[in-house]
Structures are given as C-alpha cells and as structure tokens.
Amino acid sequence: MGAGMAKKRTRGANTAPQQMTTAEAAVDALSAHGLDTIYALPGVHNDDFFDALARNTATIRTVHTRHEQGAAYMALGAALATGKPQAFCVVPGPGLLNAAAALLTAYGMNAPVLALFGQIPEAAIGRGHAHLHEIRDQAGIIARLVDWSARIRAPSQAPRLIAEAMRSMFTGRPGPAALECAIDVWGRSGAVRAVAPLAVPEPPIDEDAVKAAAKRLGAAKRPLIVAGGGAQDAAIEVRLLAQLLQAPVLSYRRGRGVIDDRDPLSVNLPLGHELWAEADVVLAVGTHLHMPLLHWGIDRNLAIVRIDADPDEPARIAKPKVALVGSAAPILRRLLDLLPAHNARRASRTEEMQERHARMQKRLAKLGPQLAYLAAIRAELPEDGIFVDEVTQVGFAARLALPVYRPRTFLSPGYQDNLGYGFATALGAQDARRDLPVLSISGDGGFLFTATEMATAIRHRIPLVTVVFNDGAFGNVRRIQEERYGNRLIASDLADPDFVAFAESFGATALRVKSPPELGRALRSAFARRDGPTLIEVPVGAMPSPWEFILMGRVRGGQSTRRKS
Ligand SMILES: Cc1ncc(C[n+]2csc(CCOP(=O)(O)OP(=O)(O)O)c2C)c(N)n1
Ligand SMILES: [Mg+2]
C-alpha cells in the first residue's frame, strides 16, 4: 500500500501562493502525484479543465475515449497493470452513470482510480432547475459508489482535495475516490498553494497477533494459504512463507500470479477446495474468502488467520482466530521473522502436490477446447505479458488453468464479474504498460459492450491484441437455459457483426483463425507488431461447462451439498 504514491514533483509546495484557476491547480496537483495520463471524455461542464490539460500536454497526456465507460475502464486497467493511481474525467449525470459500472468494478477490485466528475452551476445544485446533465443528488450517488468523495468549491481547495483523494485511495482497503467540480468553478481564479503528497497512514503491526499467527501456523499439520488481490504486492513473502510451511497456495481470479504456477505449491480453485477440506490452519491474505467461508464450510478443527488492509473485513463472515490489519507485505515479513522459532519440521510436499496436480489435470481435461486455446495463448504470451480475463468460456477456464507466472499479469474482474469489462480495461492496461504485450479475451457478447473503443485504440495507437471467441451466443446463459430450463432459449442468441470487417473498418489489423495452432501463429505475428491494435476472431462451438470446478459444495461443518448456482 502506498507503493504507487509518487513522492516527486511537489511543484510549489511550501512556496508562495500562485494565482491560477481551479482547473490549472487540479492539473498541477494530479501531476504532483505522479499521474502522467488522464482517461477522459469532454463536455461543456469540464471545458475549462480540458483547456488546462491542453496547456499542459507535456505533463499529462489525455487519452479520450468514445464512451464514458471506456474512460473509466481504461483508468481501471491502467491502475491494475501498474499498481499506481490513475484518473478519469467525465461530464455529470449521464457521463457519471455511463462510467458507473467501471467505477463499481474498481471498488470491488480495490483499484486506485480517481474519478473527476463535472457538475451543474454551483448555485443551482439541488434545485431541480433542469440544467444540462442535472441528476438528483449527484454527490449522494457518488458517495454510494466510493469510500471517499468531495466537491472542489474553489481554486484554493483543489490541491488539498486531490492530495486527500490520493491518500484515501491507499488508506485501509485501497480503492477509488471521486471529486466533483461545478462548471463555473473549474475556470474560477484564485490564490493557490500547492500541497505535497500526503503520507499514507499504515497501522502499526500487532506484534502479539503476529506471534499468535506464527504459533498457529508453525504448529499446523495441514496448512493452506489463500491469496487474494490484496496479496499482489506480497508475492515474494507469500512464496517464502509457503516454502517454510510447505503450505499450498490457493489463488483464483484476483489472486492469480501471486504465486508462480510452476511452483508445485500453487493450487487452483478445485484443488484448493480439496485442501480446504483437509486443512487445520488457513492463512488468508488479502481475500474476502467468500467461496470458502460461505460455500465450502468451516468447523471447530479449522483455525483461520487473516491478513487484510480493511479492519472490518476479517470478522465479516466468520470471526478468525487471528486477524492482522494492514498491508500484506510488511505483516508477512514480520511473520517470516517469527515463524522459524515456532515452525515444525516439515517434509517436502512436492511429490504429493505433483500427484494432486496430475489428478486435477485429468479432471480438467474435460475442458479440452478451452484448454487447447489457453495453451496456444500461453505459448505465445511472454512470461511478463498481461492477460485480461472476461466473463466468457475461455475466461472461466483461464481462471482455473492458465499458468500465470508473475503478479499483476492476470487481470480478472473479481466479484462483480461484469460482462464488458475486458476490452476497455485491457486497452488501459496496454496504454499504461506499452513495454509489455497485453492480451484481451472476450466472447462475442462481452466484446460488443465496449467494441467501439477500437476507435480509441486506433487514435492512440494502443497495440492491444484482442481475441474474440465467437459462438454466436451469450453462451453461458444459453447453456444454463439448455441444462436447467428445458432448453427454453430466450435472449441468449446473438446477431453478430463480421468481427474482422468491423475491426478493419476502424483501421485495425484483423484476422480470423479456426484452431489453436492457427491462433498461436496469429498471436506471434500480432505481438511482433507494436504500432496499433489487432483483433483475432475465433469462431467456436458450444464449450463444455466449467461450473463443477467453480461452484463446489460444502466440505466442512455440515452435510456435503452442491451449490445450485
Ligand atoms: C454486466 C453484466 N451483464 C450480464 C451478465 C450475465 N452474463 C454472464 S455470462 C453472459 C454471456 C456471455 O456471453 P459471451 O461474452 O459471448 O461469452 P460466452 O459465454 O458466449 O463465451 C452474460 C449475459 C454479466 N455477467 N455482467
Ligand atoms: Mg458468446
């Protein structure tokens, strides 16, 4: 936490106030916090802010999108790929609502995204005069979407509010923040004093709790580590702890990449389910533990140790034996210091884990079509390349079976699991990490949610490679209708464009491939070109269901039941 907060460019901090507009002060403050890009879609409410951007292109690059959801998802992707704060700016009312699903996703993913929203004239707020883009209680709506929000009411307030917003995004549970500014305030001039980035408070490490955790874990016979998104910046510590404990590390969706999948101790969701049933102590790092606690079950023979940045999180579903609050890495380092004095002698579990993996591979072979495409992708995507997941058949399988080698290289939407997240989020990741190849996968359904951002990829020469698996359906929905609703199909068939012609019409490189080896060859040439976007359409049939590996039943604290959905 706080790793992304820039300490540089405190232009004007502690110096005499300068006469400037609110917009100029905001641009200076963003830049003082290390932001070099803003994802945005203009409109009259924010014209003065955009003019300040126009006069500061050397410090902040403006990437404009074709829909506000694109701007917000791009900021999210950039934040996820870099771990650093990112910002987007959109008009009030409809602009805000268009961006809201991405902001909700940023909240669910604890991503440091700063939303800048325009507002109607300051004096008219709350009066219902039907101003352009007026929405009832905009501040109230925003306050429900993020943990920290405020309105900039004068130029002098801009630096401090931006500094506070930035600090809030890394304080406790990280996440988005939002600022509004009225149309007549952006251009107002006044005396402005710059504010240096504020230190992020880090709670002191609870030494007694670390000791209690070290004792529990050291004495554990069948320890298990569960790594979530909050462990992404603690990969080294998680690996060292796993080795000391010979504890398998379960990761899924947001936790993927915390442990290198070539390590035999790295386990996927169904293996984690199996190991959860046997575990006596679980160390959960930066995860809601949603599936284990709510669906797999707990009993008196399982002690849970939790590490979380959010003080309210550990006890939300079930009170753990030990709760440690703060950033994962420093807490784990302290645990690593204390553990050797308490740790049992442990035999290597490598052979046992290899056997478990071999058995799991056999079961997962059921997902043959998805796995063949994933193998082609993995063979071409470099180790540090970023894979952006979607709510599609190959995505569900990727969460279970795509080998991931490094933190922040598997971007999955987390518990919102929102269709349409993938393409625009991947554009943001690729924009922010132009040094790495980024691969976006989508179904034909999800891709069209933000497909018009192909124009953004062309305009800003973003070399993203996008694979669209086209089954002509909301395939996941169709399968449920076939299996559970007597094949009464409704609202799940799709009339699709010719995706190759669609992408080419924007000026993108596009091709259609029909098999995993063809996909591999197409990816190789796409990753070699870095001058613009590539779309690869893969026509596919219905794919085998992944759900038996995802929605698994109770294995502790009661009768075994299979979840219905
Ligand atoms: C925002 C949002 N709306 C609706 C859904 C429900 N949903 C889940 S999967 C799916 C269909 C996905 O279709 P497609 O992208 O083509 O992938 P496929 O299952 O066909 O591989 C839908 C509609 C969702 N997850 N998120
Ligand atoms: Mg589909």
mmCIF file of all heavy atoms in Angstrom, residues 391-393 442-446 468-476 478 492 494 496 540, ligand 2:
data_model
loop_
_atom_site.group_PDB
_atom_site.id
_atom_site.type_symbol
_atom_site.label_atom_id
_atom_site.label_comp_id
_atom_site.label_asym_id
_atom_site.label_seq_id
_atom_site.Cartn_x
_atom_site.Cartn_y
_atom_site.Cartn_z
ATOM 1 N N VAL A 391 -15.818 -12.488 -18.873
ATOM 2 C CA VAL A 391 -16.853 -13.420 -18.444
ATOM 3 C C VAL A 391 -17.252 -14.252 -19.665
ATOM 4 O O VAL A 391 -18.313 -14.068 -20.253
ATOM 5 C CB VAL A 391 -18.070 -12.662 -17.877
ATOM 6 C CG1 VAL A 391 -19.001 -13.621 -17.137
ATOM 7 C CG2 VAL A 391 -17.620 -11.558 -16.947
ATOM 8 N N THR A 392 -16.354 -15.150 -20.041
ATOM 9 C CA THR A 392 -16.570 -15.969 -21.229
ATOM 10 C C THR A 392 -15.976 -17.358 -20.987
ATOM 11 O O THR A 392 -15.217 -17.540 -20.038
ATOM 12 C CB THR A 392 -15.954 -15.285 -22.473
ATOM 13 O OG1 THR A 392 -16.257 -16.040 -23.630
ATOM 14 C CG2 THR A 392 -14.453 -15.143 -22.354
ATOM 15 N N GLN A 393 -16.325 -18.308 -21.839
ATOM 16 C CA GLN A 393 -15.956 -19.704 -21.558
ATOM 17 C C GLN A 393 -14.445 -19.888 -21.387
ATOM 18 O O GLN A 393 -13.993 -20.570 -20.473
ATOM 19 C CB GLN A 393 -16.490 -20.624 -22.658
ATOM 20 C CG GLN A 393 -18.005 -20.541 -22.839
ATOM 21 C CD GLN A 393 -18.744 -20.639 -21.518
ATOM 22 O OE1 GLN A 393 -18.540 -21.574 -20.759
ATOM 23 N NE2 GLN A 393 -19.594 -19.672 -21.215
ATOM 24 N N SER A 442 -12.345 -12.062 -25.068
ATOM 25 C CA SER A 442 -13.772 -11.785 -24.859
ATOM 26 C C SER A 442 -14.589 -12.818 -25.600
ATOM 27 O O SER A 442 -14.104 -13.410 -26.572
ATOM 28 C CB SER A 442 -14.180 -10.449 -25.472
ATOM 29 O OG SER A 442 -13.575 -9.370 -24.850
ATOM 30 N N GLY A 443 -15.828 -12.950 -25.189
ATOM 31 C CA GLY A 443 -16.798 -13.627 -26.016
ATOM 32 C C GLY A 443 -17.399 -12.609 -26.976
ATOM 33 O O GLY A 443 -17.156 -11.397 -26.847
ATOM 34 N N ASP A 444 -18.206 -13.093 -27.921
ATOM 35 C CA ASP A 444 -18.860 -12.157 -28.841
ATOM 36 C C ASP A 444 -19.811 -11.243 -28.072
ATOM 37 O O ASP A 444 -20.008 -10.077 -28.442
ATOM 38 C CB ASP A 444 -19.588 -12.904 -29.964
ATOM 39 C CG ASP A 444 -20.475 -14.040 -29.472
ATOM 40 O OD1 ASP A 444 -20.145 -14.671 -28.443
ATOM 41 O OD2 ASP A 444 -21.502 -14.315 -30.117
ATOM 42 N N GLY A 445 -20.378 -11.758 -26.971
ATOM 43 C CA GLY A 445 -21.272 -10.937 -26.164
ATOM 44 C C GLY A 445 -20.514 -9.822 -25.467
ATOM 45 O O GLY A 445 -20.812 -8.639 -25.650
ATOM 46 N N GLY A 446 -19.526 -10.156 -24.686
ATOM 47 C CA GLY A 446 -18.784 -9.173 -23.889
ATOM 48 C C GLY A 446 -18.051 -8.150 -24.736
ATOM 49 O O GLY A 446 -17.998 -6.968 -24.394
ATOM 50 N N VAL A 468 -11.462 -12.590 -29.832
ATOM 51 C CA VAL A 468 -12.911 -12.699 -29.609
ATOM 52 C C VAL A 468 -13.342 -14.132 -29.947
ATOM 53 O O VAL A 468 -13.235 -14.559 -31.103
ATOM 54 C CB VAL A 468 -13.692 -11.692 -30.474
ATOM 55 C CG1 VAL A 468 -15.198 -11.857 -30.257
ATOM 56 C CG2 VAL A 468 -13.267 -10.262 -30.154
ATOM 57 N N PHE A 469 -13.788 -14.857 -28.929
ATOM 58 C CA PHE A 469 -14.290 -16.215 -29.149
ATOM 59 C C PHE A 469 -15.772 -16.108 -29.481
ATOM 60 O O PHE A 469 -16.584 -15.732 -28.633
ATOM 61 C CB PHE A 469 -14.061 -17.082 -27.906
ATOM 62 C CG PHE A 469 -12.597 -17.344 -27.656
ATOM 63 C CD1 PHE A 469 -11.864 -16.571 -26.756
ATOM 64 C CD2 PHE A 469 -11.943 -18.356 -28.348
ATOM 65 C CE1 PHE A 469 -10.521 -16.797 -26.542
ATOM 66 C CE2 PHE A 469 -10.586 -18.594 -28.137
ATOM 67 C CZ PHE A 469 -9.878 -17.817 -27.234
ATOM 68 N N ASN A 470 -16.087 -16.417 -30.722
ATOM 69 C CA ASN A 470 -17.434 -16.137 -31.216
ATOM 70 C C ASN A 470 -18.252 -17.425 -31.343
ATOM 71 O O ASN A 470 -18.030 -18.219 -32.252
ATOM 72 C CB ASN A 470 -17.329 -15.433 -32.573
ATOM 73 C CG ASN A 470 -18.694 -15.075 -33.132
ATOM 74 O OD1 ASN A 470 -19.711 -15.291 -32.470
ATOM 75 N ND2 ASN A 470 -18.714 -14.542 -34.333
ATOM 76 N N ASP A 471 -19.206 -17.591 -30.429
ATOM 77 C CA ASP A 471 -20.127 -18.741 -30.515
ATOM 78 C C ASP A 471 -21.542 -18.279 -30.888
ATOM 79 O O ASP A 471 -22.499 -19.043 -30.759
ATOM 80 C CB ASP A 471 -20.145 -19.526 -29.194
ATOM 81 C CG ASP A 471 -20.645 -18.695 -28.028
ATOM 82 O OD1 ASP A 471 -20.861 -17.471 -28.215
ATOM 83 O OD2 ASP A 471 -20.818 -19.246 -26.919
ATOM 84 N N GLY A 472 -21.668 -17.023 -31.287
ATOM 85 C CA GLY A 472 -22.973 -16.520 -31.712
ATOM 86 C C GLY A 472 -24.003 -16.484 -30.599
ATOM 87 O O GLY A 472 -25.208 -16.513 -30.861
ATOM 88 N N ALA A 473 -23.526 -16.421 -29.375
ATOM 89 C CA ALA A 473 -24.476 -16.510 -28.253
ATOM 90 C C ALA A 473 -23.900 -15.904 -26.985
ATOM 91 O O ALA A 473 -22.682 -15.796 -26.830
ATOM 92 C CB ALA A 473 -24.815 -17.973 -27.976
ATOM 93 N N PHE A 474 -24.790 -15.531 -26.085
ATOM 94 C CA PHE A 474 -24.417 -15.389 -24.677
ATOM 95 C C PHE A 474 -24.324 -16.844 -24.205
ATOM 96 O O PHE A 474 -25.260 -17.407 -23.630
ATOM 97 C CB PHE A 474 -25.509 -14.661 -23.888
ATOM 98 C CG PHE A 474 -25.572 -13.166 -24.114
ATOM 99 C CD1 PHE A 474 -26.800 -12.527 -24.197
ATOM 100 C CD2 PHE A 474 -24.419 -12.396 -24.184
ATOM 101 C CE1 PHE A 474 -26.875 -11.142 -24.367
ATOM 102 C CE2 PHE A 474 -24.485 -11.013 -24.359
ATOM 103 C CZ PHE A 474 -25.717 -10.382 -24.456
ATOM 104 N N GLY A 475 -23.175 -17.471 -24.544
ATOM 105 C CA GLY A 475 -23.063 -18.923 -24.432
ATOM 106 C C GLY A 475 -23.327 -19.430 -23.032
ATOM 107 O O GLY A 475 -23.933 -20.490 -22.831
ATOM 108 N N ASN A 476 -22.860 -18.662 -22.056
ATOM 109 C CA ASN A 476 -23.019 -19.119 -20.691
ATOM 110 C C ASN A 476 -24.489 -19.161 -20.292
ATOM 111 O O ASN A 476 -24.953 -20.103 -19.653
ATOM 112 C CB ASN A 476 -22.243 -18.181 -19.769
ATOM 113 C CG ASN A 476 -21.842 -18.876 -18.530
ATOM 114 O OD1 ASN A 476 -21.184 -19.908 -18.597
ATOM 115 N ND2 ASN A 476 -22.283 -18.379 -17.411
ATOM 116 N N ARG A 478 -26.984 -19.344 -22.444
ATOM 117 C CA ARG A 478 -27.652 -20.378 -23.246
ATOM 118 C C ARG A 478 -27.478 -21.756 -22.611
ATOM 119 O O ARG A 478 -28.425 -22.544 -22.539
ATOM 120 C CB ARG A 478 -27.074 -20.378 -24.673
ATOM 121 C CG ARG A 478 -27.783 -21.360 -25.608
ATOM 122 C CD ARG A 478 -27.175 -21.370 -26.999
ATOM 123 N NE ARG A 478 -25.768 -21.734 -26.958
ATOM 124 C CZ ARG A 478 -24.934 -21.629 -27.989
ATOM 125 N NH1 ARG A 478 -25.365 -21.145 -29.147
ATOM 126 N NH2 ARG A 478 -23.666 -21.974 -27.871
ATOM 127 N N SER A 492 -30.663 -15.271 -25.572
ATOM 128 C CA SER A 492 -29.263 -15.696 -25.498
ATOM 129 C C SER A 492 -28.620 -15.893 -26.874
ATOM 130 O O SER A 492 -27.423 -16.160 -26.957
ATOM 131 C CB SER A 492 -29.143 -16.980 -24.663
ATOM 132 O OG SER A 492 -29.955 -18.003 -25.194
ATOM 133 N N LEU A 494 -27.302 -14.375 -30.471
ATOM 134 C CA LEU A 494 -26.778 -13.052 -30.811
ATOM 135 C C LEU A 494 -26.622 -12.885 -32.313
ATOM 136 O O LEU A 494 -26.128 -13.784 -32.996
ATOM 137 C CB LEU A 494 -25.411 -12.842 -30.136
ATOM 138 C CG LEU A 494 -25.410 -12.869 -28.607
ATOM 139 C CD1 LEU A 494 -23.980 -12.723 -28.074
ATOM 140 C CD2 LEU A 494 -26.295 -11.782 -28.008
ATOM 141 N N ASP A 496 -24.396 -11.185 -34.666
ATOM 142 C CA ASP A 496 -23.079 -10.553 -34.556
ATOM 143 C C ASP A 496 -22.663 -9.904 -35.863
ATOM 144 O O ASP A 496 -23.069 -10.346 -36.937
ATOM 145 C CB ASP A 496 -22.034 -11.626 -34.193
ATOM 146 C CG ASP A 496 -22.095 -12.002 -32.724
ATOM 147 O OD1 ASP A 496 -22.268 -11.086 -31.901
ATOM 148 O OD2 ASP A 496 -21.969 -13.197 -32.419
ATOM 149 N N VAL A 540 -16.176 -20.425 -32.605
ATOM 150 C CA VAL A 540 -16.161 -21.637 -31.772
ATOM 151 C C VAL A 540 -17.587 -22.173 -31.627
ATOM 152 O O VAL A 540 -18.562 -21.451 -31.844
ATOM 153 C CB VAL A 540 -15.587 -21.356 -30.351
ATOM 154 C CG1 VAL A 540 -14.107 -21.037 -30.410
ATOM 155 C CG2 VAL A 540 -16.354 -20.223 -29.649
HETATM 156 MG MG MG B 2 -20.561 -15.914 -26.871
#
